[in-house]
Amino acid sequence: MTHHLVAGGGGFIGSHMVDVLLGRGDTVTVVDNFVTGRRSNVAHLATHPRFAVVEHDITEPLPSSITDGAYDTVLDLASPASPVDFATMPLEILAVGSTGTRRLLDLALAQNARFFLASTSEVYGDPLVHPQPETYLGNVSCTGPRSCYDEAKRFSEAITMAYRRVHGLDVRIARIFNTYGERMRPDDGRVVNTFVVQALRGEPLTLHGDGSQTRSFCHVSDEVRGLIAVLDGNITGPVNVGNPAEFTMRQLAELVVELARSSSAITAMPLPAEREGDPLKRQPDITLIESAYGWHPSIELREGLGRMIEHFRVNEQI
């Protein structure tokens, strides 16, 4: 029976990965300090016989409750990942992407386990190549307000590959593009959940700039299928995992208002200072994961948003 250690397993994407891994018969130990992860994301697993949680900050030395386990894989999904987090905890983000990742790499090395890094499309910065293939080296500011996350993940990728070259560690790297769905934090500042909350409350949906910026949104269930394909597959990576269907922010806002049956207006606002450096466009080239594993997202934005809106109505009491 495969035993996974999932750092950040109480988070949005991490908790969905835990569900899928348990659902296929594996054993999962989650380590999370619940700074941005939520205990409610894994509360339904409290009595599951193949599930355990250790509350711990991976930037600190790992306790025996973690190191005494026997793991086949170590998954690093432990990082705050939203604009609100970039503004309020940049030092913590840099620490988890450096010290935290290295502690997990050392654990994987000691246990001869496969190491999986959840990286991000943010390593491409504000791209000058569109769509973005894995071979694109990026256009990233190392000093702007987003740099704490962008550079932390770039370092995580670099040290992961260094462990592979120096120690022969078996590693996998996936680059996650914009993901949305159930269990997102309503107040974390990402555009989809911000629009959903505003629409459900009947508040104006706030477009930053003219709304022509684009993103490519992948429902979390599709995203997790892709991540697990990378985890189980034979490609070291990095491998892009995302939905190539591209939407402007105005198109997204209009669709949210429609699906939420909201009376909210859509209001353009100047880009706030903390959003300086936001990419103008983002779209994954998924040729690699499609050709290698046959993975392709199956949930269209209209369907996925409908699920998310209903989840927020019921579970977030908005």
Side-chain angles (χ1 to χ4, degrees), residues 205-211 250 266-270:
L205 273 65
T206 50
L207 279 179
H208 292 146
D210 62 5
R250 184 168 292 278
I266 298 172
T267 304
M269 300 178 61

Side-chain angles (χ1 to χ4, degrees), residues 193-207 262 264 318:
N193 35 336
T194 297
F195 283 174
V196 168
V197 169
Q198 289 171 334
L200 289 176
R201 289 176 176 166
E203 300 169 352
L205 273 65
T206 50
L207 279 179
S262 175
S264 294
I318 295 171

Side-chain angles (χ1 to χ4, degrees), residues 2 52 61 70 78-79 88 94 99 125 138 154 172 197 207 213 225 249 252 257 270 279 287:
T2 303
S79 179
T88 59
L94 287 162
T99 303
R154 286 163 69 92
R172 301 291 182 269
V197 169
L207 279 179
Q213 311 96 310
R225 279 195 305 107
M249 296 301 95
L252 174 67
V257 169
T287 303

Side-chain angles (χ1 to χ4, degrees), residues 5-76:
L5 180 78
V6 183
F12 163 47
I13 296 177
S15 65
H16 284 278
M17 286 207 57
V18 169
D19 284 343
V20 173
L21 294 171
L22 289 172
R24 71 181 194 178
D26 297 348
T27 297
V28 176
T29 297
V30 163
V31 54
D32 203 307
N33 64 358
F34 295 104
V35 170
T36 57
R38 300 199 289 178
R39 292 174 180 82
S40 60
N41 287 346
V42 292
H44 62 290
L45 302 172
T47 60
H48 196 291
R50 288 181 280 105
F51 174 76
V53 177
V54 179
E55 187 169 343
H56 183 73
D57 181 345
I58 62 166
T59 65
E60 300 296 331
L62 302 180
S64 59
S65 54
I66 294 174
T67 57
D68 287 350
Y71 309 109
D72 300 288
T73 71
V74 174
L75 286 72
D76 183 2

Side-chain angles (χ1 to χ4, degrees), residues 59 89-100 147-149 151-152 155:
T59 65
M89 53 180 74
L91 298 180
E92 292 85 346
I93 290 170
L94 287 162
V96 77
S98 53
T99 303
S147 63
C148 58
Y149 185 62
E151 296 292 6
F155 180 87

Side-chain angles (χ1 to χ4, degrees), residues 105-113 169:
L105 283 162
D106 283 337
L107 177 64
L109 186 62
Q111 303 235 349
N112 195 29
L169 184 65

